[in-house]
Amino acid sequence: PKPEMRAPATPVAKQSKKDQVLTLLRRPDGATLDEMMTKTGWLRHTVRAAITGLRKAGHSVEKSKRDDLTCYSIKTAA
């Protein structure tokens, strides 16, 4: 039998680490530093620097508490 013809797979653009952090921060419950570190592979100080960079870029990054952990979130886009 003849093999099934398939269209070539369209490559999916890989999400940058900054975009990964933004996605986490935009979740309804935001994200902790540990969650952002796990997602990006960054160290704690690098995640904090990224948050500072987002603030400088005009994002309104808010801090709150979730189960005694500091949680960061973005409620509005820059």
Side-chain angles (χ1 to χ4, degrees), residues 21-58:
V21 169
L22 282 169
T23 298
L24 290 172
L25 293 175
R26 288 183 176 134
R27 296 185 312 187
D29 60 344
T32 64
L33 282 176
D34 287 339
E35 289 170 339
M36 290 182 270
M37 289 170 54
T38 299
K39 182 73 174 177
T40 61
W42 287 342
L43 298 174
R44 188 171 299 272
H45 68 274
T46 307
V47 173
R48 284 194 186 109
I51 291 169
T52 298
L54 291 172
R55 284 183 172 130
K56 287 181 179 181

Side-chain angles (χ1 to χ4, degrees), residues 52-63:
T52 298
L54 291 172
R55 284 183 172 130
K56 287 181 179 181
H59 293 278
S60 178
V61 180
E62 300 173 2
K63 285 196 316 188

